[in-house]
mmCIF file of all heavy atoms in Angstrom:
data_model
loop_
_atom_site.group_PDB
_atom_site.id
_atom_site.type_symbol
_atom_site.label_atom_id
_atom_site.label_comp_id
_atom_site.label_asym_id
_atom_site.label_seq_id
_atom_site.Cartn_x
_atom_site.Cartn_y
_atom_site.Cartn_z
ATOM 1 N N GLN A 93 13.852 -70.496 -78.083
ATOM 2 C CA GLN A 93 13.198 -71.217 -77.001
ATOM 3 C C GLN A 93 13.420 -70.448 -75.698
ATOM 4 O O GLN A 93 14.454 -69.820 -75.510
ATOM 5 C CB GLN A 93 13.751 -72.641 -76.873
ATOM 6 C CG GLN A 93 15.249 -72.686 -76.582
ATOM 7 C CD GLN A 93 15.778 -74.078 -76.306
ATOM 8 O OE1 GLN A 93 15.016 -74.981 -76.008
ATOM 9 N NE2 GLN A 93 17.088 -74.255 -76.398
ATOM 10 N N VAL A 94 12.444 -70.537 -74.839
ATOM 11 C CA VAL A 94 12.576 -69.941 -73.499
ATOM 12 C C VAL A 94 12.562 -71.095 -72.514
ATOM 13 O O VAL A 94 11.697 -71.965 -72.582
ATOM 14 C CB VAL A 94 11.393 -68.987 -73.184
ATOM 15 C CG1 VAL A 94 11.586 -68.344 -71.819
ATOM 16 C CG2 VAL A 94 11.272 -67.933 -74.266
ATOM 17 N N PHE A 95 13.563 -71.120 -71.642
ATOM 18 C CA PHE A 95 13.622 -72.222 -70.687
ATOM 19 C C PHE A 95 14.385 -71.770 -69.456
ATOM 20 O O PHE A 95 15.235 -70.888 -69.530
ATOM 21 C CB PHE A 95 14.317 -73.429 -71.339
ATOM 22 C CG PHE A 95 13.962 -74.742 -70.691
ATOM 23 C CD1 PHE A 95 12.742 -75.357 -70.958
ATOM 24 C CD2 PHE A 95 14.849 -75.360 -69.821
ATOM 25 C CE1 PHE A 95 12.410 -76.565 -70.367
ATOM 26 C CE2 PHE A 95 14.529 -76.569 -69.221
ATOM 27 C CZ PHE A 95 13.307 -77.180 -69.494
ATOM 28 N N GLU A 96 14.085 -72.404 -68.355
ATOM 29 C CA GLU A 96 14.758 -72.065 -67.105
ATOM 30 C C GLU A 96 16.219 -72.516 -67.163
ATOM 31 O O GLU A 96 16.518 -73.619 -67.588
ATOM 32 C CB GLU A 96 14.042 -72.749 -65.946
ATOM 33 C CG GLU A 96 14.439 -72.186 -64.609
ATOM 34 C CD GLU A 96 13.666 -72.839 -63.479
ATOM 35 O OE1 GLU A 96 13.884 -74.026 -63.225
ATOM 36 O OE2 GLU A 96 12.833 -72.142 -62.861
ATOM 37 N N GLU A 97 17.089 -71.625 -66.720
ATOM 38 C CA GLU A 97 18.515 -71.911 -66.813
ATOM 39 C C GLU A 97 19.199 -71.589 -65.488
ATOM 40 O O GLU A 97 18.772 -70.708 -64.753
ATOM 41 C CB GLU A 97 19.084 -71.035 -67.944
ATOM 42 C CG GLU A 97 20.390 -71.535 -68.491
ATOM 43 C CD GLU A 97 20.720 -70.847 -69.818
ATOM 44 O OE1 GLU A 97 19.837 -70.699 -70.683
ATOM 45 O OE2 GLU A 97 21.884 -70.458 -69.983
ATOM 46 N N GLY A 98 20.264 -72.305 -65.213
ATOM 47 C CA GLY A 98 21.057 -72.035 -64.026
ATOM 48 C C GLY A 98 22.528 -72.160 -64.374
ATOM 49 O O GLY A 98 22.878 -72.443 -65.516
ATOM 50 N N CYS A 99 23.386 -71.921 -63.398
ATOM 51 C CA CYS A 99 24.823 -71.986 -63.647
ATOM 52 C C CYS A 99 25.530 -72.397 -62.358
ATOM 53 O O CYS A 99 25.183 -71.905 -61.282
ATOM 54 C CB CYS A 99 25.317 -70.616 -64.101
ATOM 55 S SG CYS A 99 27.090 -70.554 -64.384
ATOM 56 N N LEU A 100 26.520 -73.268 -62.482
ATOM 57 C CA LEU A 100 27.254 -73.721 -61.294
ATOM 58 C C LEU A 100 27.953 -72.558 -60.599
ATOM 59 O O LEU A 100 28.219 -72.616 -59.402
ATOM 60 C CB LEU A 100 28.284 -74.786 -61.683
ATOM 61 C CG LEU A 100 27.706 -76.089 -62.254
ATOM 62 C CD1 LEU A 100 28.825 -76.998 -62.722
ATOM 63 C CD2 LEU A 100 26.831 -76.791 -61.234
ATOM 64 N N SER A 101 28.236 -71.497 -61.345
ATOM 65 C CA SER A 101 28.916 -70.340 -60.767
ATOM 66 C C SER A 101 27.945 -69.359 -60.105
ATOM 67 O O SER A 101 28.379 -68.353 -59.538
ATOM 68 C CB SER A 101 29.740 -69.614 -61.841
ATOM 69 O OG SER A 101 30.783 -70.449 -62.284
ATOM 70 N N ALA A 102 26.658 -69.639 -60.204
ATOM 71 C CA ALA A 102 25.645 -68.813 -59.528
ATOM 72 C C ALA A 102 24.641 -69.751 -58.873
ATOM 73 O O ALA A 102 23.470 -69.802 -59.273
ATOM 74 C CB ALA A 102 24.964 -67.872 -60.517
ATOM 75 N N PRO A 103 25.101 -70.514 -57.873
ATOM 76 C CA PRO A 103 24.257 -71.561 -57.291
ATOM 77 C C PRO A 103 22.948 -71.019 -56.720
ATOM 78 O O PRO A 103 22.931 -69.964 -56.093
ATOM 79 C CB PRO A 103 25.138 -72.176 -56.185
ATOM 80 C CG PRO A 103 26.243 -71.201 -55.943
ATOM 81 C CD PRO A 103 26.423 -70.443 -57.216
ATOM 82 N N GLY A 104 21.887 -71.747 -56.988
ATOM 83 C CA GLY A 104 20.586 -71.405 -56.419
ATOM 84 C C GLY A 104 19.774 -70.443 -57.261
ATOM 85 O O GLY A 104 18.619 -70.163 -56.959
ATOM 86 N N ILE A 105 20.374 -69.912 -58.331
ATOM 87 C CA ILE A 105 19.642 -68.949 -59.157
ATOM 88 C C ILE A 105 19.201 -69.618 -60.462
ATOM 89 O O ILE A 105 20.021 -70.194 -61.181
ATOM 90 C CB ILE A 105 20.495 -67.694 -59.425
ATOM 91 C CG1 ILE A 105 20.708 -66.956 -58.102
ATOM 92 C CG2 ILE A 105 19.833 -66.792 -60.472
ATOM 93 C CD1 ILE A 105 21.563 -65.731 -58.193
ATOM 94 N N TYR A 106 17.915 -69.595 -60.705
ATOM 95 C CA TYR A 106 17.345 -70.175 -61.927
ATOM 96 C C TYR A 106 16.381 -69.163 -62.515
ATOM 97 O O TYR A 106 15.496 -68.673 -61.825
ATOM 98 C CB TYR A 106 16.610 -71.484 -61.614
ATOM 99 C CG TYR A 106 17.527 -72.533 -61.024
ATOM 100 C CD1 TYR A 106 17.669 -72.653 -59.646
ATOM 101 C CD2 TYR A 106 18.265 -73.375 -61.849
ATOM 102 C CE1 TYR A 106 18.533 -73.592 -59.092
ATOM 103 C CE2 TYR A 106 19.134 -74.319 -61.317
ATOM 104 C CZ TYR A 106 19.258 -74.421 -59.939
ATOM 105 O OH TYR A 106 20.123 -75.341 -59.401
ATOM 106 N N GLU A 107 16.578 -68.859 -63.791
ATOM 107 C CA GLU A 107 15.702 -67.883 -64.440
ATOM 108 C C GLU A 107 15.449 -68.311 -65.885
ATOM 109 O O GLU A 107 16.286 -68.978 -66.487
ATOM 110 C CB GLU A 107 16.367 -66.487 -64.453
ATOM 111 C CG GLU A 107 16.509 -65.840 -63.090
ATOM 112 C CD GLU A 107 15.193 -65.388 -62.464
ATOM 113 O OE1 GLU A 107 14.208 -65.183 -63.201
ATOM 114 O OE2 GLU A 107 15.162 -65.253 -61.226
ATOM 115 N N ASP A 108 14.319 -67.887 -66.413
ATOM 116 C CA ASP A 108 14.021 -68.150 -67.824
ATOM 117 C C ASP A 108 14.939 -67.325 -68.715
ATOM 118 O O ASP A 108 15.089 -66.117 -68.504
ATOM 119 C CB ASP A 108 12.569 -67.760 -68.132
ATOM 120 C CG ASP A 108 11.600 -68.845 -67.688
ATOM 121 O OD1 ASP A 108 12.070 -69.943 -67.316
ATOM 122 O OD2 ASP A 108 10.380 -68.598 -67.720
ATOM 123 N N VAL A 109 15.537 -67.993 -69.687
ATOM 124 C CA VAL A 109 16.411 -67.310 -70.639
ATOM 125 C C VAL A 109 15.973 -67.680 -72.057
ATOM 126 O O VAL A 109 15.682 -68.836 -72.343
ATOM 127 C CB VAL A 109 17.890 -67.714 -70.430
ATOM 128 C CG1 VAL A 109 18.788 -67.045 -71.460
ATOM 129 C CG2 VAL A 109 18.361 -67.333 -69.028
ATOM 130 N N THR A 110 15.910 -66.674 -72.914
ATOM 131 C CA THR A 110 15.582 -66.915 -74.320
ATOM 132 C C THR A 110 16.873 -67.177 -75.085
ATOM 133 O O THR A 110 17.821 -66.393 -74.995
ATOM 134 C CB THR A 110 14.884 -65.673 -74.930
ATOM 135 O OG1 THR A 110 13.786 -65.328 -74.101
ATOM 136 C CG2 THR A 110 14.401 -65.952 -76.341
ATOM 137 N N ARG A 111 16.888 -68.297 -75.787
ATOM 138 C CA ARG A 111 18.059 -68.630 -76.616
ATOM 139 C C ARG A 111 17.583 -69.290 -77.893
ATOM 140 O O ARG A 111 16.406 -69.616 -78.023
ATOM 141 C CB ARG A 111 18.968 -69.623 -75.889
ATOM 142 C CG ARG A 111 19.704 -69.060 -74.682
ATOM 143 C CD ARG A 111 20.812 -70.017 -74.302
ATOM 144 N NE ARG A 111 21.443 -69.693 -73.039
ATOM 145 C CZ ARG A 111 22.542 -68.933 -72.912
ATOM 146 N NH1 ARG A 111 23.103 -68.393 -73.970
ATOM 147 N NH2 ARG A 111 23.071 -68.723 -71.719
ATOM 148 N N ALA A 112 18.532 -69.528 -78.806
ATOM 149 C CA ALA A 112 18.210 -70.285 -80.010
ATOM 150 C C ALA A 112 17.780 -71.691 -79.598
ATOM 151 O O ALA A 112 18.113 -72.166 -78.508
ATOM 152 C CB ALA A 112 19.419 -70.350 -80.921
ATOM 153 N N ARG A 113 17.036 -72.363 -80.472
ATOM 154 C CA ARG A 113 16.574 -73.721 -80.153
ATOM 155 C C ARG A 113 17.462 -74.780 -80.817
ATOM 156 O O ARG A 113 17.524 -75.919 -80.385
ATOM 157 C CB ARG A 113 15.124 -73.890 -80.606
ATOM 158 C CG ARG A 113 14.424 -75.113 -80.023
ATOM 159 C CD ARG A 113 12.981 -75.215 -80.486
ATOM 160 N NE ARG A 113 12.886 -75.340 -81.928
ATOM 161 C CZ ARG A 113 13.060 -76.483 -82.594
ATOM 162 N NH1 ARG A 113 13.329 -77.585 -81.954
ATOM 163 N NH2 ARG A 113 12.956 -76.504 -83.901
ATOM 164 N N LYS A 114 18.117 -74.357 -81.910
ATOM 165 C CA LYS A 114 18.980 -75.291 -82.648
ATOM 166 C C LYS A 114 20.308 -74.611 -82.962
ATOM 167 O O LYS A 114 20.316 -73.464 -83.405
ATOM 168 C CB LYS A 114 18.326 -75.652 -83.988
ATOM 169 C CG LYS A 114 17.414 -76.864 -83.908
ATOM 170 C CD LYS A 114 16.646 -77.024 -85.195
ATOM 171 C CE LYS A 114 17.435 -77.810 -86.233
ATOM 172 N NZ LYS A 114 16.562 -78.127 -87.403
ATOM 173 N N VAL A 115 21.393 -75.334 -82.729
ATOM 174 C CA VAL A 115 22.707 -74.766 -83.073
ATOM 175 C C VAL A 115 23.614 -75.804 -83.699
ATOM 176 O O VAL A 115 23.446 -77.011 -83.515
ATOM 177 C CB VAL A 115 23.505 -74.236 -81.856
ATOM 178 C CG1 VAL A 115 23.107 -72.859 -81.457
ATOM 179 C CG2 VAL A 115 23.527 -75.203 -80.724
ATOM 180 N N LYS A 116 24.589 -75.273 -84.412
ATOM 181 C CA LYS A 116 25.704 -76.096 -84.873
ATOM 182 C C LYS A 116 26.962 -75.408 -84.359
ATOM 183 O O LYS A 116 27.146 -74.203 -84.558
ATOM 184 C CB LYS A 116 25.708 -76.161 -86.397
ATOM 185 C CG LYS A 116 26.606 -77.282 -86.919
ATOM 186 C CD LYS A 116 26.817 -77.173 -88.407
ATOM 187 C CE LYS A 116 25.719 -77.845 -89.215
ATOM 188 N NZ LYS A 116 25.986 -77.729 -90.675
ATOM 189 N N VAL A 117 27.794 -76.187 -83.676
ATOM 190 C CA VAL A 117 29.011 -75.655 -83.079
ATOM 191 C C VAL A 117 30.192 -76.444 -83.617
ATOM 192 O O VAL A 117 30.092 -77.662 -83.823
ATOM 193 C CB VAL A 117 28.920 -75.795 -81.534
ATOM 194 C CG1 VAL A 117 30.234 -75.479 -80.868
ATOM 195 C CG2 VAL A 117 27.825 -74.888 -80.982
ATOM 196 N N ARG A 118 31.289 -75.757 -83.870
ATOM 197 C CA ARG A 118 32.484 -76.437 -84.371
ATOM 198 C C ARG A 118 33.657 -76.159 -83.451
ATOM 199 O O ARG A 118 33.815 -75.046 -82.950
ATOM 200 C CB ARG A 118 32.787 -75.927 -85.781
ATOM 201 C CG ARG A 118 33.822 -76.763 -86.517
ATOM 202 C CD ARG A 118 34.100 -76.186 -87.891
ATOM 203 N NE ARG A 118 32.954 -76.310 -88.775
ATOM 204 C CZ ARG A 118 32.629 -75.413 -89.715
ATOM 205 N NH1 ARG A 118 33.319 -74.312 -89.850
ATOM 206 N NH2 ARG A 118 31.587 -75.607 -90.489
ATOM 207 N N GLY A 119 34.472 -77.177 -83.229
ATOM 208 C CA GLY A 119 35.663 -76.994 -82.403
ATOM 209 C C GLY A 119 36.578 -78.186 -82.577
ATOM 210 O O GLY A 119 36.398 -78.987 -83.496
ATOM 211 N N LEU A 120 37.541 -78.305 -81.695
ATOM 212 C CA LEU A 120 38.484 -79.424 -81.768
ATOM 213 C C LEU A 120 38.237 -80.380 -80.613
ATOM 214 O O LEU A 120 37.865 -79.964 -79.523
ATOM 215 C CB LEU A 120 39.920 -78.907 -81.674
ATOM 216 C CG LEU A 120 40.377 -77.908 -82.743
ATOM 217 C CD1 LEU A 120 41.774 -77.382 -82.397
ATOM 218 C CD2 LEU A 120 40.381 -78.543 -84.129
ATOM 219 N N ASN A 121 38.480 -81.657 -80.872
ATOM 220 C CA ASN A 121 38.446 -82.608 -79.756
ATOM 221 C C ASN A 121 39.856 -82.727 -79.178
ATOM 222 O O ASN A 121 40.783 -82.030 -79.620
ATOM 223 C CB ASN A 121 37.850 -83.962 -80.179
ATOM 224 C CG ASN A 121 38.741 -84.727 -81.145
ATOM 225 O OD1 ASN A 121 39.896 -84.341 -81.381
ATOM 226 N ND2 ASN A 121 38.227 -85.800 -81.696
ATOM 227 N N LEU A 122 40.029 -83.607 -78.213
ATOM 228 C CA LEU A 122 41.329 -83.699 -77.531
ATOM 229 C C LEU A 122 42.425 -84.247 -78.426
ATOM 230 O O LEU A 122 43.611 -84.175 -78.082
ATOM 231 C CB LEU A 122 41.197 -84.554 -76.265
ATOM 232 C CG LEU A 122 40.525 -83.861 -75.077
ATOM 233 C CD1 LEU A 122 40.276 -84.842 -73.955
ATOM 234 C CD2 LEU A 122 41.383 -82.693 -74.570
ATOM 235 N N LYS A 123 42.037 -84.812 -79.582
ATOM 236 C CA LYS A 123 43.053 -85.288 -80.531
ATOM 237 C C LYS A 123 43.375 -84.221 -81.567
ATOM 238 O O LYS A 123 44.128 -84.458 -82.509
ATOM 239 C CB LYS A 123 42.552 -86.555 -81.215
ATOM 240 C CG LYS A 123 42.513 -87.737 -80.257
ATOM 241 C CD LYS A 123 41.962 -88.971 -80.942
ATOM 242 C CE LYS A 123 41.940 -90.116 -79.944
ATOM 243 N NZ LYS A 123 40.873 -91.080 -80.254
ATOM 244 N N GLY A 124 42.741 -83.060 -81.437
ATOM 245 C CA GLY A 124 42.993 -81.979 -82.378
ATOM 246 C C GLY A 124 42.183 -82.103 -83.654
ATOM 247 O O GLY A 124 42.412 -81.381 -84.630
ATOM 248 N N LYS A 125 41.221 -83.014 -83.642
ATOM 249 C CA LYS A 125 40.387 -83.227 -84.822
ATOM 250 C C LYS A 125 39.187 -82.284 -84.775
ATOM 251 O O LYS A 125 38.594 -82.076 -83.716
ATOM 252 C CB LYS A 125 39.913 -84.688 -84.813
ATOM 253 C CG LYS A 125 39.367 -85.149 -86.118
ATOM 254 C CD LYS A 125 38.962 -86.625 -86.051
ATOM 255 C CE LYS A 125 37.924 -86.895 -87.096
ATOM 256 N NZ LYS A 125 36.800 -87.668 -86.678
ATOM 257 N N THR A 126 38.824 -81.711 -85.928
ATOM 258 C CA THR A 126 37.665 -80.822 -85.975
ATOM 259 C C THR A 126 36.377 -81.616 -85.771
ATOM 260 O O THR A 126 36.183 -82.656 -86.387
ATOM 261 C CB THR A 126 37.607 -80.083 -87.332
ATOM 262 O OG1 THR A 126 38.808 -79.329 -87.474
ATOM 263 C CG2 THR A 126 36.421 -79.136 -87.400
ATOM 264 N N MET A 127 35.548 -81.095 -84.886
ATOM 265 C CA MET A 127 34.285 -81.764 -84.559
ATOM 266 C C MET A 127 33.149 -80.796 -84.817
ATOM 267 O O MET A 127 33.274 -79.609 -84.526
ATOM 268 C CB MET A 127 34.236 -82.071 -83.063
ATOM 269 C CG MET A 127 35.313 -82.939 -82.526
ATOM 270 S SD MET A 127 34.757 -84.613 -82.494
ATOM 271 C CE MET A 127 33.393 -84.513 -81.347
ATOM 272 N N GLU A 128 32.048 -81.316 -85.322
ATOM 273 C CA GLU A 128 30.847 -80.487 -85.436
ATOM 274 C C GLU A 128 29.761 -81.111 -84.589
ATOM 275 O O GLU A 128 29.501 -82.303 -84.700
ATOM 276 C CB GLU A 128 30.405 -80.406 -86.897
ATOM 277 C CG GLU A 128 30.659 -79.026 -87.446
ATOM 278 C CD GLU A 128 30.176 -78.853 -88.867
ATOM 279 O OE1 GLU A 128 29.218 -79.539 -89.278
ATOM 280 O OE2 GLU A 128 30.772 -78.032 -89.552
ATOM 281 N N ILE A 129 29.178 -80.317 -83.742
ATOM 282 C CA ILE A 129 28.121 -80.823 -82.878
ATOM 283 C C ILE A 129 26.851 -80.041 -83.155
ATOM 284 O O ILE A 129 26.848 -78.809 -83.132
ATOM 285 C CB ILE A 129 28.509 -80.692 -81.389
ATOM 286 C CG1 ILE A 129 29.768 -81.522 -81.107
ATOM 287 C CG2 ILE A 129 27.377 -81.148 -80.484
ATOM 288 C CD1 ILE A 129 30.390 -81.235 -79.772
ATOM 289 N N GLU A 130 25.789 -80.788 -83.440
ATOM 290 C CA GLU A 130 24.486 -80.150 -83.613
ATOM 291 C C GLU A 130 23.658 -80.435 -82.378
ATOM 292 O O GLU A 130 23.648 -81.559 -81.889
ATOM 293 C CB GLU A 130 23.796 -80.690 -84.862
ATOM 294 C CG GLU A 130 24.432 -80.147 -86.130
ATOM 295 C CD GLU A 130 23.731 -80.630 -87.389
ATOM 296 O OE1 GLU A 130 22.520 -80.422 -87.507
ATOM 297 O OE2 GLU A 130 24.424 -81.222 -88.228
#
Side-chain angles (χ1 to χ4, degrees):
Q93 60 174 342
V94 182
F95 203 78
E96 195 177 68
E97 200 166 316
C99 178
L100 296 174
S101 294
I105 294 178
Y106 299 92
E107 292 290 338
D108 280 351
V109 178
T110 307
R111 290 195 189 267
R113 195 179 61 81
K114 270 171 86 171
V115 277
K116 195 191 274 181
V117 170
R118 192 181 292 146
L120 301 174
N121 68 9
L122 284 172
K123 290 178 180 152
K125 196 178 156 225
T126 300
M127 301 265 297
E128 251 183 28
I129 299 168
E130 286 182 56

